[in-house]
Amino acid sequence: MLKRTPSLGPALYLVGMLLIGLYFTFAAVQGDYGVFRRAEVEAEARGLEKELAGLREEVARMENLTRRLSDKYLDLDLLDARAREVLGMIRADEIVIR
């Protein structure tokens, strides 16, 4: 009776397919377009959106101050506060304590 030894071809094919599957799984998770990279990009986008919201608030505040000191609309209280802050001016009836 002849003993038949299993051929090596199907085993190599199975190992090769397993390695290819592992490679694609690794690439899908950790590659440039993988799950981890997507999470990093989304976290960065959320941070940048928060920063953008803060910058928009700052721009709105500055536009408001600019409008209040413009020729068309002059806020005397704001003008007085800015003159005191920037120029160090005081009224004649005030006393400065240092």
Side-chain angles (χ1 to χ4, degrees), residues 16-80:
M17 289 297 114
L18 182 65
L19 290 176
I20 289 173
L22 288 173
Y23 170 75
F24 282 121
T25 302
F26 177 79
V29 172
Q30 298 220 354
D32 290 341
Y33 302 101
V35 175
F36 290 152
R37 178 66 182 140
R38 181 178 177 139
E40 288 175 3
V41 168
E42 288 175 355
E44 184 179 349
R46 283 191 299 272
L48 290 173
E49 286 173 359
K50 287 179 184 178
E51 184 180 344
L52 178 62
L55 290 173
R56 284 186 175 155
E57 286 179 11
E58 181 70 17
V59 166
R61 187 185 68 78
M62 293 181 124
E63 285 176 347
N64 182 27
L65 290 175
T66 303
R67 183 183 60 81
R68 288 171 53 195
L69 291 175
S70 68
D71 292 336
K72 295 178 183 176
Y73 177 84
L74 184 59
D75 186 351
L76 295 178
D77 291 333
L78 180 62
L79 182 61
D80 181 55

